[in-house]
Amino acid sequence: MDEYDELFEIQDDFEEQFADELEVLAQMEEESSKPGKRQTQGPGDDISDIEHLLDDQPITPKAKRQKQDAGVAKRLFSTSQTQVSKAPSHGDDITPPSSPEQYEPSHTLRPTPAALDISGFGMIPETPRRPPTEAPASLHVLKRPPLEGEYISVTNSLGSRVYLRQKEDTGTKVVDSRMVPNSFGSLGLLAVPISVLRQQEAERRHQQVVEESQRLTELLASSVNDVLPEREDEENEDPEDTEGRTSRLWVDRFSPRHYTELLSDDFTNRCLLKWLKLWDTVVFGRERKSRPARSDRQPLNQNPSKPNQGNQNPNRFKTKIEMTEELLEAELDQYKRPKFKVALLSGPPGLGKTTLAHVIAKHAGYNVVEINASDDRSAEVFQKRIDTATQMKSVLGANEKPNCLIIDEIDGAPAAAINILLATLNRKDGHSAEGGAETSKKKKKKESILLRPIICICNDLYVPALRPLRQQAFLLSFPQTQPSRLTQRLAEISLQQGMKADTGTLMSLCEKTDNDIRSCINTLQFLHGRGHKQVDTKTIQCISVGQKDQNKGLFHLWQEIFQLPRTKRKRVGEGFEEAPGSGGGAQRFQHILHLASSGGEYEKVSQGLYDNYLSMRVRDPNLHSVCDALDWLSFSDRLNQVILHGQNFSLMRYLPFLPVTFHFLFAHTHVPRISYPHSQHEASSRLLSNRNALSSMLADIPACIRTRISQLSLTLDILTLLLNIICPKLRPVNPQLFSSREKEQMRELIDTMLAYNLSYRQDRTPEGQYTYVLEPRVEEVVRFPGLPPHRQLTYQAKQTISREMEQERMRRAEQLMLQRNPAVMQKEEDKKTTGPKPTRNHQQRLENIVKQTTVETRPELDFFGRAVAPKPQRPQPSSDTGEKCAVLAMGKAVGNSDVWFRFNEGMSNAVRRNVYIRELL
Amino acid sequence: MSLWVDKYRPTSLGKLDYHKEQATQLKNLVQCGDFPHLLVYGPSGAGKKTRIMCLLRELYGAGVEKLRIEHQTIVAPSKKKIEINTIASNYHLEVNPSDAGNQDRVVIQELIKTVAQSQQIQSSTQREFKVVLLTEVDRLTKDAQHALRRTMEKYMGTCRLILCSTSTSKVIGPIRSRCLAIRVPLPSTEDVCSVLTAVCKKEGLLLPPELAKRISEKSDRNLRKALLMCEACRVQQYPFSVDQEVPETDWEVYLRETANAIVSQQSPQRLLEVRARLYELLTHCIPPEIIMKGLVTELLSNCDGQLKTEVAHMAAYYEHRLQLGSKAIYHLEAFTAKFMAIYKKFMEDGLDAMMF
């Protein structure tokens, strides 16, 4: 545990540095003064002046070596390691110093001067934060012999032994190979014989040189400020690595390796970095202290920081900054995780989203685990991969940093996979809700909740499957890359590759590809591969390589169609071509045709055109263009019909001409107001609901009528008139008081309604009033808006009708039953009317009464009041004959009425009679 | 059975009120014991179905009137289940295959096969064939109609088809040639009047002949509509008065207003309003052909004689496209726009001529 505690201290210091990351960025140019400050801020320990020297005089490593001569063998090793890791950072002084990788030198160096700090030795390799990126294996100082490779054991004065890997050392020598003999000569105190070192060096030298030089050239390409120091290096290495460079894509070779090399918008970069830093509390267990204070300072420092990075108007971001700031300053949740567990980057292809995610994750000290569309993303596999990436940690080898999961191209993932991701996000911890960042053991217990950042990347933010994720994610949409920055980068690349291209040319290349970095670089490489050493604007205009199938949004397409392109201002000093759509008719034609055919959704497009073209501001007094447009629409409709029914897809090539026609007919210089086409969809859904109402009405119409009417005749002829017919004038009186003629009328009405399966249903309006509505709701099918309303029945009338209908229904049901089984009817009726369950009891009792009265002789009763002897002989069972004679006898006894009375204490059913529905109605 | 339409529907060929000659011909046709496949066509409300049912009754006796509704589920080869309602007696089966939409071919094949493959048990006492009555044949897809061709010949021994449609133009030639076509024209105004009067008499009402005439004109001689209108009049007001308002169907009123809107102003804005109204009509289940027809009728009555041929020509042109295409609204609107253009030009020319 004490290891961890110690760690925390160190990391706290580092956290401060992280927090100051932007300040540091701002002062990057004053690198010379900065390093010293950096060191003093570093982990509070004694740093030898070597470091200063290292930073101050990056090109003269000899001096360093000579100063070190007092050290022991260990010391030599660690310093040389320092050299390893320093080497790249010399190459690019612009690297933000806050990144752990950049700080590694001081890490490794720290224990060295304090040679007795053995616990420090042991600790370093286990630090989760130690980022070993610069070398294939980063374990320099081990407590146990390494599994593979050669090593040297070193024992200190206290007797504790550590092991040093040899492999690293040789790598070092490669970099500053020129000075090696010198340093060795001057030191003379080698733990390893120099012959051994030399031998190893000779073995690996060849590949290492190639790799190293490549890296250096890349660094050179990206660093803007200080090209000069590296130029020599690069030139030195150039001839050696020609084989390696032909085989690789420039996009990969020149892709940014460090935060500062990113071409994408600074604000976006910073936001993502900040979000990732929010995880530090839970992932690395650091407190975030300096955060609130920094938020004010930051914008101030930022402004003068990067005049050279194309950030012309920093004020623009201020509100955005505040907003996102707010978002990012939100409280951590109970597990000390940020509010948004997922960052969702979105933007068109080629802006560097994936690169940004990788670079930032590395920068923040994570090990990147990527899932993209090429992986199997079925639900189970996805679940497994998420769990693996977020809950496990590699214990062997180099990647002992915490993982950061990057899910690339998530918009193509199936909805099931996204649901799994959401479930992972929302997983609740089963254990106690206390903050889990205290100890490592506690962390391990809580495997179930998500404790690692996830970055998702998509092109289309509005894919339906992403909808649930959108609400839970920290959304970052990528703005366009700034052409100036991109041009600059392109210029560097072409310069380095020996291509001649002026800024104007590169600008037009950017324009052509819509500032798509990938496409630009690919095009350059293509031209280079073709042997063009000189690229001018004309070549760029002529080639069709940079053109990609742009998938613009529908609204964009509609806008392009309905809007005449504005001729762009010519930029001063740059032979700038006009925008593709702005030229003459032919050019516009091609432009729209290209847009429409790459869009693909012809159906939707033409629907949008149809819905919007009439609201365009076009002077068309004779309606000629409207007629033309509609002719085209009906033509494309026919075309569609043929395509779909005859599967004749070769005709599809004629579909994109419709938008072109519309463009020429209706394009206007004003910005069109375009609404999304809903009309067709609305119409079809309403049609469907009306059809459903009709078919539900038809479904229960009796067959003899059903055969005479169809849905069509119902809508065209019958329904309107039928609705009139069932609204007769009724006197608002009790139906009992109707005259015979009115009764007849009522009967017919009810007949009709039943025959046509119409009924009234009581409904409650939102205002709390009760109304009767016609069911099924066919009224909407035949009533049109804007027509004089038809006569409606009053509430009372409807009530009366509906009551009468109920009665009629019951009557009919009874009749139907009687028809079906006339034999049993009598008995059945009895049972039905008096209620199913108690009948037997009641009848028995009644029979008892009857018997008592008729037979006069009271039968003997037992204790419970049951007849003892003669009763069983009586035909008690429920056969018809038995019942009948009982009834007969009963009739005699009580007179010719079928009303009986019996006093029944505490019961209300004392008076009882058989009632039939037909008597009630 | 309380609507007059249903209550006073004739049930035997002898009792039919009009086209009596045709009725006797049908009677003769049936009496000789056998008859070919029939294609009964004619406008809606002319009495096709009534005639067919009378024919069936003549053929099989009163048993055909015991109808029942059967819900049948047919599994298409694509494993899709199609549910369809059929109305059947012991002797015949009535299907509206267009209920099944695009899958009507499967319905036709399956249903006719099942009916045709079972023989009548008592062929001595009964006819040896059953009748399959297909309604709305003109809405069948071409696929289904072609499927019908072979079936008609193959199962001739055990079943006869009676096809019922409003027009033959959408019935493919091979089927027309396999059937005996019987046209049931609309009753004349006098026929309608006499039927109305007779019905009212049976109801014990007195219908003034003028009103009867007005009703029959307003209903376009569609007898079903005429009877319903008459009954609606009765509900509205009895004793009848001569100048009583005859209720109309809403969609006709709406369509007329739409036509008036087109004539009164011609501009893109108006076209937009008209589009909304057309959509309204379409969503109320009014078929686009009928909208087109109604629109043309109204527009023709509103425009100058010189324009009429051109308008009719345009209407025919767009109606044809409408039949070929699938999005009715485009074609309806295209016709409207065209009419607007023609009409506007004509009016402006007229104005110019007046000025000079």
Side-chain angles (χ1 to χ4, degrees):
Chain A
M1 278 324 99
D2 55 343
E3 291 172 8
Y4 262 87
D5 291 340
E6 200 174 356
L7 243 188
F8 287 158
E9 273 182 34
I10 302 161
Q11 284 166 350
D12 279 349
D13 289 339
F14 272 94
E15 167 57 25
E16 260 183 336
Q17 297 230 324
F18 277 123
D20 287 338
E21 176 261 339
L22 285 156
E23 273 177 72
V24 178
L25 267 179
Q27 289 155 8
M28 249 166 7
E29 284 140 351
E30 306 115 47
E31 271 290 312
S32 53
S33 64
K34 188 73 184 163
K37 188 181 145 209
R38 233 201 297 163
Q39 292 307 327
T40 50
Q41 278 180 357
D45 51 8
D46 47 347
I47 291 190
S48 64
D49 47 356
I50 300 168
E51 275 299 301
H52 296 268
L53 285 168
L54 271 172
D55 280 306
D56 288 336
Q57 304 165 335
I59 331 169
T60 56
K62 264 186 203 170
K64 282 178 271 173
R65 280 302 160 104
Q66 282 152 0
K67 283 218 168 194
Q68 255 182 329
D69 51 4
V72 282
K74 268 184 291 185
R75 205 168 175 184
L76 168 69
F77 272 95
S78 36
T79 26
S80 48
Q81 280 155 17
T82 314
Q83 293 287 340
V84 177
S85 42
K86 265 294 163 184
S89 57
H90 285 317
D92 53 326
D93 280 354
I94 49 164
T95 313
S98 65
S99 169
E101 358 174 335
Q102 299 312 320
Y103 264 87
E104 213 227 345
S106 56
H107 254 292
T108 35
L109 195 64
R110 191 179 58 89
T112 318
L116 301 186
D117 188 4
I118 296 307
S119 69
F121 268 63
M123 173 203 83
I124 290 164
E126 287 171 15
T127 327
R129 298 192 44 250
R130 233 193 98 191
T133 35
E134 63 284 333
S138 71
L139 298 180
H140 308 300
V141 186
L142 300 168
K143 270 187 161 180
R144 295 192 186 85
L147 286 177
E148 50 190 46
E150 294 186 41
Y151 62 90
I152 301 153
S153 58
V154 181
T155 317
N156 73 349
S157 58
L158 286 180
S160 61
R161 168 169 292 192
V162 292
Y163 299 91
L164 304 179
R165 246 184 211 174
Q166 243 176 350
K167 200 160 112 189
E168 299 309 314
D169 198 9
T170 57
T172 316
K173 299 294 192 293
V174 177
V175 184
D176 23 25
S177 49
R178 280 166 299 181
M179 68 188 178
V180 166
N182 279 348
S183 59
F184 273 102
S186 64
L187 276 173
L189 268 173
L190 285 173
V192 187
I194 192 157
S195 57
V196 178
L197 289 173
R198 279 198 170 146
Q199 195 187 353
Q200 285 170 350
E201 180 195 44
E203 280 169 11
R204 296 205 180 87
R205 181 161 187 159
H206 185 66
Q207 324 98 296
Q208 298 241 344
V209 159
V210 171
E211 275 175 34
E212 204 60 41
S213 60
Q214 237 170 34
R215 211 172 64 208
L216 282 171
T217 48
E218 280 151 17
L219 293 175
L220 168 90
S222 50
S223 66
V224 186
N225 297 334
D226 35 16
V227 187
L228 279 175
E230 273 126 3
R231 179 51 44 83
E232 322 160 0
D233 279 355
E234 193 246 334
E235 276 162 5
N236 287 343
E237 318 280 13
D238 233 342
E240 296 178 32
D241 62 346
T242 33
E243 316 98 303
R245 74 172 39 178
T246 45
S247 58
R248 282 183 71 191
L249 274 181
W250 288 7
V251 181
D252 295 334
R253 281 180 45 205
F254 298 106
S255 77
R257 297 279 184 277
H258 299 287
Y259 183 79
T260 38
E261 295 172 21
L262 289 169
L263 273 181
S264 44
D265 177 52
D266 292 328
F267 174 71
T268 320
N269 301 351
R270 219 175 311 122
C271 284
L272 187 65
L273 185 59
K274 270 191 202 163
W275 175 81
L276 207 55
K277 286 291 173 199
L278 289 180
W279 282 92
D280 282 358
T281 322
V282 66
V283 176
F284 299 110
R286 290 184 225 122
E287 291 300 321
R288 39 167 214 164
K289 285 189 286 193
S290 58
R291 203 144 290 268
R294 198 175 43 83
S295 60
D296 332 340
R297 259 180 0 208
Q298 183 187 41
L300 297 175
N301 283 342
Q302 169 212 353
N303 292 352
S305 63
K306 294 152 265 189
N308 57 332
Q309 305 244 330
N311 192 1
Q312 282 101 346
N313 43 353
N315 290 336
R316 192 165 55 112
F317 295 126
K318 281 224 162 157
T319 52
K320 254 166 124 189
I321 283 178
E322 279 159 16
M323 270 166 53
T324 325
E325 200 79 31
E326 222 167 80
L327 209 62
L328 288 173
E329 292 300 334
E331 278 300 298
L332 303 186
D333 69 358
Q334 52 176 341
Y335 306 114
K336 306 211 171 158
R337 300 181 295 179
K339 186 168 162 260
F340 297 104
K341 316 288 182 298
V342 168
L344 183 56
L345 308 184
S346 60
L351 295 189
K353 296 183 293 299
T354 311
T355 314
L356 170 69
H358 277 263
V359 167
I360 281 194
K362 263 187 212 146
H363 185 80
Y366 288 92
N367 173 38
V368 177
V369 178
E370 186 182 325
I371 303 176
N372 57 31
S374 60
D375 297 313
D376 183 5
R377 289 195 287 194
S378 62
E380 305 85 50
V381 182
F382 197 67
Q383 171 85 66
K384 214 161 90 188
R385 294 205 56 170
I386 289 185
D387 287 345
T388 317
T390 55
Q391 294 176 2
M392 309 205 183
K393 180 174 137 181
S394 65
V395 285
L396 288 174
N399 300 327
E400 59 180 56
K401 294 182 286 183
N403 288 331
C404 171
L405 181 62
I406 295 181
I407 306 174
D408 206 349
E409 294 147 16
I410 198 176
D411 41 358
I418 289 175
N419 286 338
I420 281 176
L421 176 61
L422 283 172
T424 316
L425 298 186
N426 299 328
R427 217 181 270 164
K428 286 278 182 286
D429 190 10
H431 306 282
S432 67
E434 289 201 328
E438 290 304 307
T439 59
S440 65
K441 269 187 187 163
K442 215 168 186 181
K443 258 191 221 164
K444 265 167 200 161
K445 265 184 202 165
K446 302 184 175 181
E447 277 173 303
S448 54
I449 60 164
L450 178 76
L451 291 173
R452 294 288 177 266
I454 298 179
I455 302 175
C456 300
I457 302 174
C458 64
N459 285 337
D460 184 3
L461 190 55
Y462 298 99
V463 165
L466 285 182
R467 197 173 298 145
L469 184 64
R470 269 207 311 271
Q471 295 155 357
Q472 296 201 19
F474 172 58
L475 300 180
L476 262 181
S477 63
F478 261 63
Q480 288 278 359
T481 317
Q482 288 184 359
S484 51
R485 282 174 81 166
L486 180 54
T487 316
Q488 207 164 14
R489 176 65 59 87
L490 288 178
E492 288 155 20
I493 291 174
S494 54
L495 188 69
Q496 196 186 329
Q497 295 299 330
M499 287 176 78
K500 279 186 185 161
D502 60 346
T503 325
T505 313
L506 294 175
M507 268 301 207
S508 66
L509 178 62
C510 297
E511 195 82 13
K512 185 163 182 169
T513 54
D514 271 335
N515 300 326
D516 178 342
I517 305 169
R518 186 189 298 136
S519 174
C520 281
I521 300 182
N522 278 340
T523 312
L524 270 190
Q525 185 175 16
F526 177 80
L527 290 174
H528 184 257
R530 280 280 188 86
H532 292 267
K533 292 289 174 199
Q534 186 102 23
V535 185
D536 52 5
T537 320
K538 208 165 180 191
T539 337
I540 295 287
Q541 291 296 332
C542 293
I543 55 160
S544 55
V545 178
Q547 294 267 29
K548 55 179 176 167
D549 270 353
Q550 291 149 321
N551 206 349
K552 293 275 177 62
L554 282 171
F555 273 97
H556 177 83
L557 178 54
W558 289 324
Q559 184 140 357
E560 287 278 316
I561 291 168
F562 283 126
Q563 191 174 16
L564 279 176
R566 263 171 298 177
T567 38
K568 294 210 174 173
R569 279 181 292 124
K570 292 229 171 189
R571 297 193 193 188
V572 188
E574 299 169 15
F576 208 73
E577 281 290 306
E578 288 178 338
S582 62
Q587 219 170 344
R588 272 160 62 199
F589 185 95
Q590 289 299 339
H591 177 60
I592 299 287
L593 190 63
H594 176 72
L595 273 184
S597 48
S598 61
E601 289 172 281
Y602 302 125
E603 189 66 34
K604 205 87 215 159
V605 169
S606 57
Q607 192 56 48
L609 294 178
Y610 174 67
D611 270 24
N612 286 302
Y613 81 94
L614 281 180
S615 26
M616 291 304 125
R617 296 192 222 173
V618 176
R619 271 193 56 75
D620 186 20
N622 293 324
L623 289 166
H624 284 315
S625 53
V626 171
C627 287
D628 280 352
L630 281 165
D631 276 348
W632 268 90
L633 273 174
S634 58
F635 165 69
S636 76
D637 178 36
R638 278 179 58 197
L639 212 54
N640 256 324
Q641 184 78 358
V642 174
I643 289 168
L644 294 181
H645 282 245
Q647 266 93 47
N648 192 352
F649 292 104
S650 62
L651 291 178
M652 267 177 87
R653 76 184 97 153
Y654 297 109
L655 286 175
F657 288 96
L658 177 76
V660 179
T661 320
F662 270 73
H663 175 69
F664 281 102
L665 287 175
F666 298 108
H668 200 271
T669 42
H670 285 279
V671 178
R673 208 174 299 146
I674 287 164
S675 58
Y676 192 79
H678 293 293
S679 62
Q680 196 91 46
H681 178 71
E682 261 168 41
S684 63
S685 64
R686 277 176 61 199
L687 184 64
L688 195 68
S689 82
N690 281 340
R691 285 240 171 93
N692 286 341
L694 284 178
S695 50
S696 74
M697 176 181 170
L698 277 174
D700 284 338
I701 291 181
C704 50
I705 297 178
R706 176 75 181 78
T707 174
R708 310 296 176 142
I709 57 178
S710 65
Q711 206 161 320
L712 201 61
S713 64
L714 204 60
T715 45
L716 290 183
D717 304 338
I718 300 173
L719 213 46
T720 328
L721 297 168
L722 181 66
L723 292 182
N724 281 349
I725 290 169
I726 61 168
C727 294
K729 287 180 184 123
L730 292 175
R731 270 198 301 153
V733 291
N734 192 319
Q736 308 293 337
L737 303 176
F738 278 169
S739 68
S740 64
R741 184 158 187 90
E742 279 171 328
K743 273 185 182 160
E744 179 66 14
Q745 201 184 352
M746 180 59 116
R747 203 183 55 74
E748 278 186 2
L749 171 68
I750 304 245
D751 250 11
T752 312
M753 287 185 65
L754 284 175
Y756 282 89
N757 187 30
L758 297 169
S759 59
Y760 286 113
R761 188 168 58 83
Q762 198 176 32
D763 219 1
R764 217 181 132 161
T765 58
E767 291 87 51
Q769 282 184 321
Y770 284 99
T771 51
Y772 276 99
V773 291
L774 202 62
E775 199 61 18
R777 296 172 169 264
V778 285
E779 255 176 325
E780 284 118 48
V781 180
V782 287
R783 299 286 188 236
F784 284 86
L787 292 186
H790 288 255
R791 211 166 59 82
Q792 285 282 329
L793 289 176
T794 57
Y795 179 78
Q796 279 75 20
K798 282 181 178 173
Q799 198 175 25
T800 314
I801 291 172
S802 112
R803 206 172 47 226
E804 293 285 316
M805 269 178 70
E806 279 306 307
Q807 294 177 358
E808 180 63 27
R809 274 216 191 105
M810 283 160 84
R811 233 177 268 144
R812 286 191 184 185
E814 186 188 326
Q815 234 168 26
L816 202 70
M817 210 165 59
L818 294 191
Q819 275 172 5
R820 270 192 199 145
N821 37 9
V824 206
M825 124 203 150
Q826 204 67 19
K827 236 37 270 165
E828 290 285 304
E829 285 303 314
D830 283 355
K831 285 169 194 167
K832 277 270 148 58
T833 46
T834 44
K837 175 63 184 133
T839 21
R840 290 243 66 94
N841 276 340
H842 296 162
Q843 276 180 345
Q844 277 176 352
R845 280 189 192 164
L846 280 172
E847 280 155 25
N848 282 339
I849 305 165
V850 169
K851 273 160 224 153
Q852 279 167 20
T853 44
T854 45
V855 184
E856 284 291 7
T857 54
R858 289 178 169 258
E860 282 199 57
L861 303 175
D862 64 0
F863 178 73
F864 300 103
R866 287 182 302 195
V868 191
K871 269 208 98 179
Q873 283 131 16
R874 283 252 162 197
Q876 178 75 1
S878 66
S879 75
D880 263 7
T881 49
E883 297 274 327
K884 255 176 199 159
C885 37
V887 170
L888 270 176
M890 190 170 64
K892 265 182 213 156
V894 206
N896 266 338
S897 131
D898 42 12
V899 181
W900 304 281
F901 171 79
R902 188 199 179 201
F903 176 69
N904 211 350
E905 211 173 350
M907 296 276 278
S908 60
N909 58 356
V911 180
R912 194 177 300 125
R913 73 170 284 198
N914 290 337
V915 181
Y916 298 92
I917 288 282
R918 61 174 177 271
E919 289 156 4
L920 290 175
L921 302 177
Chain B
M1 266 334 100
S2 65
L3 283 184
W4 296 352
V5 199
D6 303 319
K7 222 186 324 188
Y8 301 109
R9 198 190 297 278
T11 50
S12 71
L13 284 173
K15 287 185 195 159
L16 287 173
D17 294 299
Y18 50 90
H19 305 327
K20 293 200 170 150
E21 198 183 332
Q22 192 187 45
T24 40
Q25 280 170 352
L26 284 176
K27 204 168 186 171
N28 293 338
L29 180 76
V30 177
Q31 264 168 1
C32 68
D34 201 359
F35 67 92
H37 298 306
L38 297 183
L39 171 59
V40 182
Y41 66 99
S44 133
K48 300 182 293 292
K49 204 61 173 290
T50 310
R51 233 151 260 256
I52 292 168
M53 290 312 284
C54 292
L55 184 85
L56 288 178
R57 192 189 154 96
E58 193 73 30
L59 203 62
Y60 295 111
V64 268
E65 277 161 16
K66 273 193 176 174
L67 296 170
R68 56 183 187 273
I69 295 182
E70 289 171 349
H71 303 273
Q72 300 213 4
T73 312
I74 295 160
V75 181
S78 58
K79 299 277 180 290
K80 195 186 169 194
K81 279 187 181 169
I82 308 159
E83 303 208 341
I84 196 159
N85 291 337
T86 60
I87 302 164
S89 74
N90 289 332
Y91 310 104
H92 86 286
L93 176 80
E94 180 186 333
V95 201
N96 184 354
S98 55
D99 285 351
N102 280 329
Q103 303 281 340
D104 50 1
R105 183 177 61 87
V106 188
V107 171
I108 282 199
Q109 285 171 337
E110 290 298 314
L111 278 183
I112 296 182
K113 260 180 216 164
T114 45
V115 171
Q117 279 167 356
S118 61
Q119 306 259 352
Q120 292 281 25
I121 298 171
Q122 290 175 301
S123 58
S124 54
T125 55
Q126 289 295 344
R127 309 278 174 191
E128 60 214 9
F129 54 84
K130 278 188 171 186
V131 169
V132 176
L133 172 54
L134 300 178
T135 54
E136 296 185 16
V137 182
D138 44 354
R139 288 172 66 193
L140 279 184
T141 58
K142 289 280 179 292
D143 260 5
Q145 296 197 26
H146 285 295
L148 207 52
R149 288 166 60 169
R150 186 82 190 102
T151 324
M152 285 171 97
E153 289 174 349
K154 201 174 173 188
Y155 299 109
M156 189 69 188
T158 47
C159 95
R160 296 283 179 282
L161 289 178
I162 299 181
L163 312 178
C164 182
S165 79
T166 49
S167 102
T168 53
S169 63
K170 282 194 157 185
V171 180
I172 57 171
I175 289 186
R176 268 185 280 171
S177 83
R178 281 168 173 79
C179 295
L180 175 68
I182 297 169
R183 174 163 181 267
V184 184
L186 282 175
S188 64
T189 318
E190 292 75 43
D191 287 337
V192 177
C193 285
S194 67
V195 170
L196 289 180
T197 323
V199 166
C200 281
K201 204 170 150 195
K202 280 182 200 158
E203 277 285 309
L205 307 171
L206 196 71
L207 182 70
E210 292 85 355
L211 186 62
K213 193 152 191 311
R214 275 183 54 214
I215 290 176
S216 66
E217 273 162 6
K218 200 132 197 183
S219 65
D220 292 325
R221 287 148 65 204
N222 177 339
L223 190 60
R224 184 197 298 129
K225 217 162 159 186
L227 278 168
L228 282 163
M229 278 177 171
C230 188
E231 194 174 352
C233 284
R234 148 88 183 77
V235 167
Q236 218 169 50
Q237 178 185 0
Y238 185 76
F240 293 120
S241 69
V242 176
D243 51 354
Q244 185 175 357
E245 190 202 340
V246 179
E248 276 182 288
T249 48
D250 275 1
W251 67 269
E252 285 173 308
V253 182
Y254 197 75
L255 192 57
R256 196 177 314 134
E257 282 181 5
T258 310
N260 291 337
I262 294 171
V263 173
S264 62
Q265 191 195 329
Q266 294 86 34
S267 68
Q269 280 65 41
R270 182 49 64 93
L271 192 59
L272 209 54
E273 290 162 28
V274 170
R275 178 198 292 179
R277 295 180 75 94
L278 290 175
Y279 259 135
E280 195 73 37
L281 281 164
L282 284 173
T283 53
H284 282 75
C285 304
I286 312 290
E289 305 89 46
I290 289 179
I291 298 178
M292 186 70 121
K293 192 181 159 204
L295 213 53
V296 177
T297 322
E298 294 297 330
L299 290 176
L300 281 182
S301 66
N302 270 324
C303 70
D304 193 89
Q306 285 178 304
L307 281 181
K308 281 185 178 170
T309 47
E310 201 177 350
V311 171
H313 172 76
M314 287 334 302
Y317 176 74
Y318 285 107
E319 156 106 43
H320 181 231
R321 293 192 144 200
L322 175 86
Q323 299 295 344
L324 292 176
S326 59
K327 288 222 176 66
I329 189 78
Y330 289 171
H331 307 281
L332 289 175
E333 188 170 315
F335 169 67
T336 313
K338 197 79 191 171
F339 175 82
M340 278 182 171
I342 295 173
Y343 190 78
K344 195 167 188 184
K345 187 162 185 299
F346 178 77
M347 296 302 276
E348 276 167 2
D349 288 353
L351 273 179
D352 287 349
M354 281 208 310
M355 301 263 271
F356 304 110

